[in-house]
Amino acid sequence: MASLNYYYGVLNLEPGSTKEDVKRAYRRLAQQWHPDKFSKHPDQLQKAREKFEQIKEAYDTLIRVSRIDRHTTGHRVSIRSVSAEKHYNKGVAYLQQGQRKLAVDSFTQAVRKQPDYLQAYQARAFTLEQLGLDLQAKADFEKVAELKRDSRTASVNEGDSSSIDAEVFFQRGLAQFKSRKYGAAIINLSKAIEINPKHREAYRYRSQAYFRRGYDQQADADFKRMRDLESQTQQTASRASYNSSAASEVSAIWHCTYTLSRHTATVSAVAVTRDGKKLVTGSYDKTLRLWSTKTGSLLKTFNDHSKEIHCVTVSGDGKYIASGGADRTIKLWDMRTGELLRSFGNVLLGHSDTVTALEFSPNSQILASASRDKTVRLWSVKSGKEIYTFKDSSAAVLALAISSDGKSIFYGGGDNQLSMRHIKTGKQLRSFPGMPSQALTLSRQGSLLAVASGSKITLWNRHYQKKLFELHGHAKTVSSLVFNADSQILVSGSHDTTVKLWNVHTGKTIDTLAGHQSAVCSVAWSQDGKVLASGSADKTVKIWQQV
């Protein structure tokens, strides 16, 4: 079963190993890489979590395959092509919903039913790459190249065969770009563009590679070509959907699974844990509450703020909750026990006005805070000491975001400037003029920056300070923004009582979630894309999930 080779490789097994071999390997590796064993080594914890997920995924897949083998022996020939296509289409549907792990499972079933299903291998490779499983993705891309060379794949590959070659070069270039080998990346991305002159993503990453090598003119030319291609795609999509545009504003993709109503005042802030299992809410009733997103039950209540809470954030490692508000303090809580670990700031030090925004650095070692006192401050999570203060704003700072590499911070507010600074040196790297900002967010992947000003949302390429789209659809002030994990969708909450989902490639509304009776103050999205939460001035929190 060559298509499952990489799953056997994850468990350090030879292809075709028995079910008992799989179980023994799983028990051994799961014990070795269980995240609980790395609780005292935070620098290794994320790697352990990712490795544990790979091990579990490999085990689940191989055990499932072994069960199918027992029940389908002798019947594969009659159902192979139909079943494979069904699994493939199901995987595509999962991808459209942002459920990448389920998509991988479906593509795996497709290639198992039809071992030469080139499109399924290719789709699975792209999805694995988005999940960060580069070794598995590489194996699939190599399989794509092998199938392309094999003349027997002609009946499966109905598209232009050159597009496969372009994708192979693109993926090589992308891997080199992520490894900061920009020269090599430019070579392979150029080959992808030579084969497929309309490959938008190849232009996108080659533009960034040129930029990092100091070739600004070439970078600008690639960026312009990418935008032209996006514009052409948008026009084509607009013509295709013209007759159904009136019905596209509201759909049944998402529905409210729980309405949480234990707060007694405005729910000003919401944050979802990385795995989507828990939700933290902050309120003007001076309390924080921890909920289960699966059952909607209240798990803990945190009491220590003396005034309204305005902002909440959860660390990426799931250990800490940070909250800030009108009492000018920032509280750091233990997620597991509910214990108050420390307060940042006091009468003499720290913020002198309401704390408006908080965010942990990706490694959870630094906490950034913004305030109406016109400053942004960086704090050491471990010691509680202030590291740096930015004092360049002429008005209240209302929003901030830290880049996914932890190197830069963006912030803005009541004045007409959005600043980008280097976290370690404090040096200003860029500024975006003419944009008072109530909310902002950065994409986890790529270079997108979304900024809310009034009822309008502006999408920027943050590297080149180029405006991509202006999103219009909300009737009142946009209060909160968040991208999904793969940066394909932007979510916005507004004082018009709605939550909207936007396609970042077209700037069009995907879905509108209605149900709150008053202004939506905050939105949050789990990294697995399955849980969306919104907090409102109607004193409730809504948990939304896809149908």
Side-chain angles (χ1 to χ4, degrees):
M1 227 173 267
S3 63
L4 297 177
N5 282 356
Y6 74 89
Y7 284 123
Y8 285 110
V10 169
L11 298 180
N12 297 327
L13 293 173
E14 292 294 326
S17 296
T18 67
K19 180 179 176 181
E20 292 305 315
D21 290 336
V22 170
K23 288 183 176 180
R24 282 193 294 269
Y26 170 74
R27 285 194 293 267
R28 183 181 68 258
L29 291 172
Q31 183 179 16
Q32 177 184 347
W33 288 99
H34 197 286
D36 288 351
K37 296 187 65 176
F38 296 82
S39 58
K40 295 183 180 180
H41 303 281
D43 57 322
Q44 301 177 28
L45 182 58
Q46 185 56 37
K47 178 182 178 181
R49 285 177 172 160
E50 294 174 356
K51 184 68 174 178
F52 185 76
E53 286 297 320
Q54 292 178 18
I55 293 166
K56 187 175 185 302
E57 179 185 357
Y59 171 78
D60 290 342
T61 302
L62 294 175
I63 290 296
R64 182 167 59 250
V65 168
S66 68
R67 289 177 184 146
I68 295 173
D69 282 343
R70 289 202 307 269
H71 297 292
T72 61
T73 301
H75 300 283
R76 293 182 192 174
V77 174
S78 63
I79 65 172
R80 171 176 288 182
S81 60
V82 175
S83 181
E85 184 177 0
K86 180 179 178 181
H87 284 300
Y88 173 76
N89 291 334
K90 189 175 181 180
V92 172
Y94 279 133
L95 273 185
Q96 293 172 345
Q97 297 170 13
Q99 300 185 55
R100 293 191 296 276
K101 289 187 178 180
L102 292 177
V104 168
D105 288 343
S106 293
F107 294 140
T108 298
Q109 291 298 321
V111 298
R112 181 186 177 278
K113 294 293 182 183
Q114 187 170 316
D116 58 354
Y117 203 147
L118 186 148
Q119 290 171 305
Y121 275 110
Q122 181 172 286
R124 188 173 70 175
F126 293 151
T127 310
L128 288 167
E129 197 276 334
Q130 288 181 324
L131 288 169
L133 303 176
D134 294 337
L135 290 177
Q136 294 92 319
K138 180 181 178 182
D140 271 4
F141 279 118
E142 289 175 352
K143 183 66 175 179
V144 167
E146 177 187 334
L147 291 174
K148 170 62 177 65
R149 291 192 297 267
D150 190 338
S151 60
R152 290 175 298 173
T153 63
S155 62
V156 178
N157 182 22
E158 298 175 356
D160 183 359
S161 63
S162 65
S163 66
I164 304 302
D165 292 329
E167 289 302 331
V168 171
F169 283 117
F170 170 70
Q171 290 300 326
R172 289 175 184 168
L174 180 60
Q176 289 161 341
F177 177 86
K178 290 182 176 180
S179 300
R180 301 183 181 180
K181 299 176 181 177
Y182 301 124
I186 290 171
I187 292 172
N188 278 296
L189 293 171
S190 297
K191 290 179 180 177
I193 291 170
E194 183 180 347
I195 296 170
N196 179 9
K198 295 184 177 181
H199 200 306
R200 287 180 301 167
E201 291 303 302
Y203 281 109
R204 184 193 306 276
Y205 283 99
R206 192 175 71 170
S207 173
Q208 295 182 34
Y210 275 137
F211 179 76
R212 284 162 171 76
R213 292 296 294 268
Y215 302 128
D216 292 345
Q217 186 174 353
Q218 293 93 324
D220 287 343
D222 271 5
F223 186 82
K224 182 179 184 300
R225 178 57 177 159
M226 181 198 73
R227 297 297 297 123
D228 289 344
L229 290 171
E230 286 181 344
S231 178
Q232 293 171 15
T233 302
Q234 181 181 355
Q235 292 172 7
T236 302
S238 297
R239 289 194 296 269
S241 61
Y242 178 80
N243 293 329
S244 60
S245 61
S248 66
E249 183 70 11
V250 180
S251 73
I253 295 175
W254 292 81
H255 72 290
C256 180
T257 55
Y258 295 105
T259 297
L260 314 177
S261 56
R262 299 287 288 274
H263 282 294
T264 58
T266 293
V267 180
S268 54
V270 294
V272 182
T273 56
R274 191 182 186 92
D275 59 10
K277 294 180 180 179
K278 294 178 182 178
L279 167 70
V280 183
T281 60
S283 169
Y284 286 1
D285 66 11
K286 309 174 190 177
T287 69
L288 289 171
R289 298 181 188 269
L290 181 65
W291 313 80
S292 165
T293 59
K294 185 176 182 179
T295 65
S297 58
L298 178 63
L299 304 177
K300 289 185 182 70
T301 299
F302 305 79
N303 294 283
D304 200 76
H305 281 282
S306 60
K307 292 185 179 181
E308 298 91 343
I309 294 172
H310 284 258
C311 48
V312 168
T313 187
V314 175
S315 63
D317 59 15
K319 288 184 178 181
Y320 306 117
I321 300 169
S323 57
D327 61 7
R328 308 177 184 178
T329 67
I330 302 162
K331 310 288 185 184
L332 184 71
W333 311 82
D334 186 298
M335 169 80 80
R336 184 176 60 85
T337 65
E339 176 188 0
L340 177 62
L341 300 176
R342 65 173 53 89
S343 291
F344 299 84
N346 53 45
V347 176
L348 299 177
L349 299 173
H351 290 295
S352 59
D353 205 337
T354 299
V355 180
T356 55
L358 293 168
E359 184 161 341
F360 284 100
S361 62
N363 62 9
S364 304
Q365 295 180 8
I366 295 174
L367 177 65
S369 61
S371 170
R372 290 188 178 276
D373 67 8
K374 307 178 186 178
T375 70
V376 172
R377 297 172 189 266
L378 303 180
W379 309 84
S380 167
V381 173
K382 184 176 181 179
S383 68
K385 293 181 179 180
E386 186 175 316
I387 301 171
Y388 214 103
T389 303
F390 304 118
K391 300 180 179 180
D392 59 317
S393 297
S394 60
V397 184
L398 304 177
L400 62 80
I402 296 177
S403 61
S404 58
D405 60 9
K407 293 182 179 180
S408 52
I409 183 170
F410 294 71
Y411 55 90
D415 57 13
N416 291 330
Q417 180 170 296
L418 183 71
S419 295
M420 174 186 175
R421 288 186 175 271
H422 195 284
I423 284 184
K424 287 187 177 181
T425 67
K427 179 182 177 181
Q428 181 161 316
L429 303 175
R430 290 184 179 83
S431 63
F432 298 75
M435 293 176 8
S437 314
Q438 294 93 18
L440 64 90
T441 187
L442 293 169
S443 60
R444 292 188 181 95
Q445 300 173 355
S447 57
L448 296 179
L449 166 67
V451 183
S453 183
S455 62
K456 178 182 70 176
I457 303 167
T458 305
L459 273 179
W460 293 78
N461 179 297
R462 65 184 179 93
H463 293 305
Y464 309 115
Q465 296 172 277
K466 291 183 181 291
K467 186 184 294 187
L468 305 179
F469 292 112
E470 286 188 355
L471 309 181
H472 298 276
H474 283 297
K476 294 183 179 180
T477 298
V478 175
S479 57
S480 185
L481 297 168
V482 63
F483 283 104
N484 71 334
D486 60 7
S487 309
Q488 303 301 304
I489 300 173
L490 176 70
V491 175
S492 59
S494 169
H495 289 181
D496 65 9
T497 75
T498 69
V499 175
K500 288 183 180 290
L501 287 79
W502 309 82
N503 184 316
V504 301
H505 296 295
T506 65
K508 300 297 183 181
T509 306
I510 298 172
D511 204 357
T512 297
L513 312 183
H516 282 295
Q517 302 303 308
S518 190
V520 175
C521 301
S522 183
V523 292
W525 204 341
S526 64
Q527 190 143 342
D528 63 6
K530 295 180 180 179
V531 177
L532 183 62
S534 56
S536 170
D538 64 10
K539 307 177 186 179
T540 71
V541 180
K542 289 187 180 293
I543 297 176
W544 310 85
Q545 293 183 317
Q546 288 180 307
V547 176

